[in-house]
Amino acid sequence: MKQSRFLIAPKWPIALATVSVVALSASFAAAQDAPAAVDDAGRTGPRTQLDTVVTQATRTETSAQTTPVATTSVSGAQLERTFATDLRDLTAAAPNVNLEAVGAFQNASAFFIRGFGSADIESATDPGVGVFIDGVYQARSSTALSDLLDITTVEILRGPQGTLFGRNTIVGAVLVSHGKPDPTEFDMKGEITAGNYGTIDVSAMINVPLVADKAALRIAAKSTNNDGFYKNATDGTNYGSTDRITILPSIRFTPNDNLDIVIRGEIVRERDDSWGNTPYSACGGSNGVFNPFAADNYGSVPGNNTQTVPLIAWAYGGQAEIDKVCAQERGKNDFIVHADNTSGRGSDFDIWGITGEITYDLPDVGTFTYVGNYRDVHENVFNDFDTTDLPIFMTQREQWHYQTSHEFRFSSNFSDTIDFVAGFYYFHQKYTMWQDTYGWLFDPGFGAALGSAIGGRLTGAPNPGAALDALNPNASGFGETIQDNTAWAAFVNANWHIWNGITLTAGLRYNDEKKNIETCAPSPVNDGVNRECNLNPLVGNYFDSDVDIDTAAGRKNNWSNISPKVGLSWEVNDSLFLYGSWTRGFRSGGFNGRCGSTFTCQPYNEETADSYEIGAKWDGLDNRLRVNLTGFYIDYKDQQVSIIRQSSGSGGGQETVTDNAANAKSKGIELEVTTLPADGLTIWGSLGWLKSSRDFCTDIDGPTTVDPGPASGSCDPDNAFSYIDNGTTFYIYPTQVLVPLTRAPKWTLAAGFAYEVPVGNAGTIEFAADWRYQSKNNQASNGVPAGVTTGLLNYNGVLVTPIRSSAHIFNASITWREIEDRYRVSLFMKNIGNVHYMQSLTAVAALFNFIQDNNPRTYGVKVAFDF
């Protein structure tokens, strides 16, 4: 692949110099995001009132109870109480929120709010839910589940947030705030956690004033280790372990009362094991006997419902081998994998970054804010995706990614009746990905060998698998993707306090984004030695956005948008706050970084979402009861949906594409209640109800050689077309698809309590427990079988379905705190009932399916100190 425009080496010295110069210049200023929730500082006895909650949802420090945004704040103390390790542990914190893992990769996030989000690991796809760490947007979903360390608060904002944030967020945002250096006092704290599955986590923080009231240094560090939840039956070893080190250094300067400068560093080294993928393939037959020619077409072989990988396993080893790779009922060998390790495995990440934050208050005028960041990520991930002990389909992905961003904001109480926030944002990211996909599937003799093995198995030959053993297990196909993305935006949000607690809010955002891409899917025709694509369009699938965009069809590589917001709020009295709003969210178009042919690499368009929201927030009973109620309706246009389907050109015969496949709608209700009925006893609960639907129109099966007839019969005639690849004509023909939104359960409920019991001069003992319920929901955007969610019945009686069953999860803990909270000892248990369910499903066209289960029962002890 030509490299003239996209150099792998990032321009980090420029970004570093920019952040450093701005950070040390008094002519600029930036805001240090304040904690979103404040616990009772200095409290030594049982809690007597609900904690004050402060939010940064409007980019200025306001009470969450008088902020016209559906926001849930989780303090650092609450995170400790739930023994959270990453953002997945906050799924129960807010209604209609699912913060989960993609599943195929250790750190990759699948975040969904109110039925919408994204579950794609690729940098080519922008996350649907924005994650902001200390005010900086994180472009990589593959690193969103890094370890939590030295957290002051996490806020979950539901709904579009574009008129107040540098990077637009179409369905919601997660704001993570770390502790910042304190120049007034020395502080040191640490924790050690030991638990089952070999868990040993150690973390520490030290805060040192360098110049009294003027400068301070803070360093937090954490080591995370466990043996993994999975057992590899092939060699008897544990599978899916973690081995991580995170270091967060920061320094702060406060030369005067108006200027505040914070410079943060990020250093992460992860040497995790590969993720444990368990089989969930479709295998035809009945009464416990596999039949490779069972009815109900799945797509791998005409006339059967068996995918290719289990067919290979059966041809190689018969019934005993196929029993390992087909779907089983959850709860039976959930954490047993059959993985071939001859080619190595691992999930290695090296991350470093620097952020400069500056705040300058201009008395009687306003506050200037600058946040600048540079972040560099290198990853090298191996996965044995076929879930067998045979070398059929394995991948190794090495990727280099960097991003830099600069955000300027100015907030002002312009007058007694008007205040506003205005800002400008610049963002640039670039990534290069090398993917080697290898195994028997890439050997030129694979088709003949499989046919011979199937014939031998059917005729009772003594060793039908010999033909497959003769294949090269290291046969491979190389693929590469390079993308460059530049975006800028201007935004303003103003409040007009009309009269007697009534406020009119109006906001506007302009966004401009441009992307360029070069890509080729993994294939033996590419040069894996020199790491280059084959540029010959007759044999490869090379795509260059500079020359290959089909402009005649209206395709483009740049997108712009104007997004408004209008709201009205009323602070009725000191206890009751009412609000309503309409906001338009926007996410730019992009390219398919894992397309299978030049003709399916074409860009997809932007999507928009009109969100209507009304809410009521009430505090009463002398600040012992808090009730927040929200209703919403979202009208989604041109929803971007990622699907895995068969392909005409990519290695392995499958491709991942994103398409503007749907218009969708969701509506729902969210209720959050917190009460303190007695001193020291806090009880909370939440309820989310969601009803969603969508008009899903796409080519779910991918390119086919069968002429479907006139395009007028398609649900999207403008995107029905044919093309010639390697001399063969293929057809793309969008049809109506009966697949609901993914990760959009109708009901999400949660409840919990914390009860502090004084034990004299010995301190307090806190008993805490919580419960989370999630109703059934779809896990695969392309369905099973493709296009529907009816599922396929296996020979062993298991229904292979993309529908996750409902589940109840219970957690509990006991914590002793020394009277001044200098020492703590906790015993905890998560998922007490050891409930198992399908946390994520990847249906890889006609090849195979694999899933990851939720974490099993875990327990441990934590010892902490704070001096």
Side-chain angles (χ1 to χ4, degrees), residues 144-323:
L145 295 180
S146 297
D147 289 348
L148 296 176
L149 170 64
D150 194 25
I151 302 296
T152 57
T153 57
V154 177
E155 288 191 76
I156 302 172
L157 312 183
R158 305 186 292 278
Q161 308 296 324
T163 63
L164 283 161
F165 284 77
R167 186 68 167 165
N168 50 293
T169 63
I170 189 166
V171 294
V174 178
L175 315 182
V176 180
S177 298
H178 291 101
K180 63 180 178 179
D182 183 352
T184 65
E185 62 180 1
F186 174 86
D187 189 16
M188 182 172 64
K189 62 179 65 176
E191 296 178 349
I192 299 176
T193 302
N196 59 336
Y197 296 102
T199 297
I200 297 291
D201 298 342
V202 181
S203 65
M205 185 283 297
I206 185 169
N207 183 93
V208 181
L210 301 177
V211 178
D213 299 326
K214 301 296 183 183
L217 173 69
R218 187 183 185 100
I219 299 176
K222 184 176 184 180
S223 170
T224 302
N225 294 270
N226 67 57
D227 295 335
F229 304 132
Y230 295 83
K231 181 69 70 174
N232 187 6
T234 301
D235 59 14
T237 62
N238 292 323
Y239 211 98
S241 63
T242 59
D243 181 2
R244 305 177 180 181
I245 295 176
T246 303
I247 303 174
L248 303 177
S250 57
I251 192 168
R252 182 183 183 188
F253 303 97
T254 55
N256 55 55
D257 292 340
N258 297 328
L259 181 61
D260 193 348
I261 301 171
V262 179
I263 300 176
R264 302 178 185 271
E266 176 192 19
I267 304 168
V268 179
R269 182 184 185 273
E270 299 180 358
R271 296 297 181 265
D272 295 347
D273 196 357
S274 301
W275 194 262
N277 303 310
T278 58
Y280 199 63
S281 294
C283 307
S286 61
N287 300 320
V289 178
F290 174 69
N291 178 3
F293 304 107
D296 295 326
N297 179 44
Y298 193 94
S300 59
V301 176
N304 80 6
N305 70 340
T306 297
Q307 294 173 290
T308 301
V309 165
L311 183 65
I312 297 171
W314 170 80
Y316 183 86
Q319 188 73 39
E321 189 68 29
I322 199 171
D323 284 343

Side-chain angles (χ1 to χ4, degrees), residues 412-419 495-499 503:
S412 174
N413 292 323
F414 181 75
S415 69
D416 292 339
T417 58
I418 295 177
D419 60 77
N495 297 308
W496 176 24
H497 306 286
I498 301 173
W499 172 76
T503 299

Side-chain angles (χ1 to χ4, degrees), residues 299-300 308 393 437 441-442 446 521-524 594-597 644-656 700-703 730 844-848:
S300 59
T308 301
F393 187 94
T437 305
L441 284 175
F442 288 86
F446 167 73
S523 174
R594 289 185 291 166
C595 49
S597 71
I644 302 175
R645 66 187 187 187
Q646 296 183 76
S647 171
S648 64
S650 66
Q654 50 82 33
E655 65 181 354
T656 300
I700 199 75
D701 295 320
F730 293 90
V844 188
L847 278 178
F848 53 86

Side-chain angles (χ1 to χ4, degrees), residues 88 101-105 230 275-280 330 334-335 383 385 387 743 779 804 836-842 849-855:
R88 284 177 294 182
V102 170
F105 297 85
Y230 295 83
W275 194 262
N277 303 310
T278 58
Y280 199 63
R330 307 324 304 148
D334 298 65
F335 301 101
N383 269 295
F385 280 129
T387 70
R743 302 180 191 262
Q779 293 294 297
R804 174 200 290 180
H836 293 174
Y837 60 83
M838 174 176 64
Q839 180 169 270
S840 61
L841 162 66
T842 303
N849 301 335
F850 60 86
I851 67 175
Q852 293 77 34
D853 290 282
N854 64 307
N855 291 350

Side-chain angles (χ1 to χ4, degrees), residues 505-533:
T505 299
L508 194 67
R509 176 189 182 88
Y510 176 79
N511 203 86
D512 186 90
E513 191 148 350
K514 183 176 182 180
K515 299 178 180 179
N516 293 293
I517 196 170
E518 296 178 60
T519 186
C520 62
S523 174
V525 304
N526 299 320
D527 186 348
V529 176
N530 296 309
R531 322 305 274 172
E532 294 179 350
C533 291

Side-chain angles (χ1 to χ4, degrees), residues 440 451 458 524 756:
W440 286 347
L458 291 173
E756 300 170 281

Side-chain angles (χ1 to χ4, degrees), residues 273-601:
D273 196 357
S274 301
W275 194 262
N277 303 310
T278 58
Y280 199 63
S281 294
C283 307
S286 61
N287 300 320
V289 178
F290 174 69
N291 178 3
F293 304 107
D296 295 326
N297 179 44
Y298 193 94
S300 59
V301 176
N304 80 6
N305 70 340
T306 297
Q307 294 173 290
T308 301
V309 165
L311 183 65
I312 297 171
W314 170 80
Y316 183 86
Q319 188 73 39
E321 189 68 29
I322 199 171
D323 284 343
K324 303 176 184 177
V325 301
C326 298
Q328 300 180 7
E329 293 287 354
R330 307 324 304 148
K332 298 178 180 179
N333 299 322
D334 298 65
F335 301 101
I336 298 294
V337 299
H338 300 272
D340 171 70
N341 298 317
T342 57
S343 301
R345 71 191 201 217
S347 181
D348 298 348
F349 282 77
D350 291 291
I351 305 169
W352 72 271
I354 184 170
T355 299
E357 306 174 78
I358 311 170
T359 302
Y360 185 72
D361 291 320
L362 196 59
D364 300 322
V365 176
T367 300
F368 290 93
T369 298
Y370 167 77
V371 179
N373 170 264
Y374 174 82
R375 192 170 194 252
D376 185 283
V377 179
H378 174 244
E379 63 183 73
N380 193 356
V381 180
F382 174 89
N383 269 295
D384 186 358
F385 280 129
D386 60 57
T387 70
T388 77
D389 51 7
L390 305 175
I392 300 175
F393 187 94
M394 297 161 288
T395 68
Q396 183 173 8
R397 294 161 45 93
E398 188 167 13
Q399 189 164 183
W400 298 263
H401 175 276
Y402 77 87
Q403 69 172 68
T404 184
S405 62
H406 303 276
E407 180 175 352
F408 296 87
R409 293 195 309 270
F410 175 68
S411 60
S412 174
N413 292 323
F414 181 75
S415 69
D416 292 339
T417 58
I418 295 177
D419 60 77
F420 68 90
V421 175
F424 176 83
Y425 179 75
Y426 172 84
F427 171 79
H428 180 248
Q429 70 165 328
K430 183 195 157 180
Y431 80 95
T432 299
M433 182 185 72
W434 292 346
Q435 178 165 320
D436 294 281
T437 305
Y438 49 95
W440 286 347
L441 284 175
F442 288 86
D443 190 301
F446 167 73
L450 178 59
S452 175
I454 291 174
R457 181 63 58 189
L458 291 173
T459 58
N463 187 16
L468 293 169
D469 274 331
L471 297 174
N472 178 11
N474 294 315
S476 65
F478 170 73
E480 181 178 25
T481 299
I482 301 175
Q483 178 169 289
D484 190 273
N485 176 20
T486 301
W488 68 271
F491 53 94
V492 62
N493 196 89
N495 297 308
W496 176 24
H497 306 286
I498 301 173
W499 172 76
N500 200 24
I502 297 176
T503 299
L504 175 66
T505 299
L508 194 67
R509 176 189 182 88
Y510 176 79
N511 203 86
D512 186 90
E513 191 148 350
K514 183 176 182 180
K515 299 178 180 179
N516 293 293
I517 196 170
E518 296 178 60
T519 186
C520 62
S523 174
V525 304
N526 299 320
D527 186 348
V529 176
N530 296 309
R531 322 305 274 172
E532 294 179 350
C533 291
N534 189 323
L535 305 186
N536 185 345
L538 297 179
V539 297
N541 70 313
Y542 173 71
F543 179 85
D544 183 350
S545 61
D546 279 354
V547 296
D548 294 327
I549 292 180
D550 186 359
T551 55
R555 306 289 187 178
K556 57 184 180 180
N557 70 335
N558 65 288
W559 300 269
S560 60
N561 175 267
I562 296 177
S563 302
K565 176 177 182 175
V566 177
L568 188 66
S569 61
W570 180 21
E571 192 170 353
V572 181
N573 52 45
D574 291 341
S575 299
L576 179 61
F577 180 77
L578 306 175
Y579 72 93
S581 65
W582 163 65
T583 309
R584 175 165 294 167
F586 162 78
R587 182 161 56 152
S588 80
F591 289 94
N592 289 310
R594 289 185 291 166
C595 49
S597 71
T598 299
F599 305 94
T600 58
C601 292

